[in-house]
Structures are given as C-alpha cells and as structure tokens.
Amino acid sequence: MFVKCIALALIATLFTACSGDGEVYVISEQDKKEIEALKRSIPLVLAEQGWEAYESLFSENYQNWHMMSDEVRKRDEFLQSVRQWYEAGNRATDSEVASIAFIPLAKNKVMYLHKQVETFDLAHDEESTSRDIRFLGVFVKEKEEWKVEFTAFMDAH
C-alpha cells in the first residue's frame, strides 16, 4: 500500500512540477541540505528547545495524515496531540533521516520523500523505543526559512 501511495504521489508531481508556462522548478543542493537538516531536527527541537521553537517549524497551513487512517489533521489538531505527548514527559533522543527524493512542486515548494528513525524516552517506559517511519512531506520557504506544510507518514513495520 505504501509503495502505491508513493507511486501515485510521484506520478502526480511529475505533472505539477512545471508551471502552465512551461517553467521547470529546481531545488538547489543547499536547499536540499536545509530541508534534510530541518526534518532530522524536528523531534529534537521539541526535546531540546521547547514548545515555541517546535511550533514555529510548521507553516500556518500545515496538515498531517497518518496513512493508516482516513483523517487529515489540521495544524492545531496535530500540534495539540504532540503537545499532550510532550507534556506527559515524552522526549525524542535521536533522529536519523535517509533521503529518497526531492521533487520541486513550485518556486520555494518541495516534496520530500524520506525514511526516518526516531528514538524516544517515553515517560511510562524505562527503555528507549524507536520508530522506523516513511514520510512524504511538503516543505515551503517562508521568509527565507523552510517550514513543514504537509506530512503523510506510515510506520515501516
């Protein structure tokens, strides 16, 4: 199912990566590095810098879809669930990202396909736990800074 979702997303983006006037969008190596670093840091920002720094990483239009559900959550609903998790004492301790593809959608808008392993210390568990996740994300550049606009994800197992 995940492969089908990714294949459909790739096909759709091949048709949207150009504007109506034939302009082809590209992404620089620097922007790729910035997006990859941002995505790697997101769980750690919450643990190391707190709520305000974490919240600022998401665009005002942010949406989130866990691919095993039929619901797309708006920014406020998603952030509220993360805040509850955080306030319960849970913290990320490590984050690793493996890039799959960067697909320019428009000027300063990129789809990023990647794998991510996040490690957590959960308040109710003495041992660390990790999640191996597959992501499809859309990132937008606002005021010279990349922000997360959309994420769709699925656990690898």
Side-chain angles (χ1 to χ4, degrees), residues 6-7 43 82 86 93 107 126 129 136 147:
I6 294 299
V82 173
Y86 175 72
T93 58
K107 183 176 181 182
E126 290 185 23
T129 187
L136 179 155
K147 304 265 184 188

Side-chain angles (χ1 to χ4, degrees), residues 14-100:
L14 289 175
F15 291 104
T16 60
C18 297
S19 67
D21 62 3
E23 181 179 352
V24 176
Y25 299 107
V26 296
I27 179 170
S28 71
E29 289 302 315
Q30 180 61 35
D31 283 336
K32 288 178 182 180
K33 288 178 185 176
E34 289 175 15
I35 290 169
E36 188 176 56
L38 169 60
K39 191 59 178 82
R40 181 181 303 111
S41 74
I42 288 174
L44 301 174
V45 165
L46 182 57
E48 297 169 358
Q49 298 175 34
W51 184 253
E52 286 183 21
Y54 179 80
E55 186 178 39
S56 73
L57 302 175
F58 299 87
S59 78
E60 290 302 316
N61 299 320
Y62 176 75
Q63 295 183 27
N64 172 273
W65 176 41
H66 183 284
M67 288 189 242
M68 297 307 287
S69 78
D70 294 332
E71 178 186 1
V72 176
R73 297 183 289 181
K74 301 281 186 196
R75 183 181 196 271
D76 290 342
E77 181 183 359
F78 169 77
L79 289 175
Q80 180 61 30
S81 68
V82 173
R83 188 172 198 141
Q84 289 172 348
W85 179 86
Y86 175 72
E87 289 177 349
N90 302 303
R91 299 293 184 267
T93 58
D94 192 30
S95 175
E96 297 176 23
V97 171
S99 296
I100 297 170

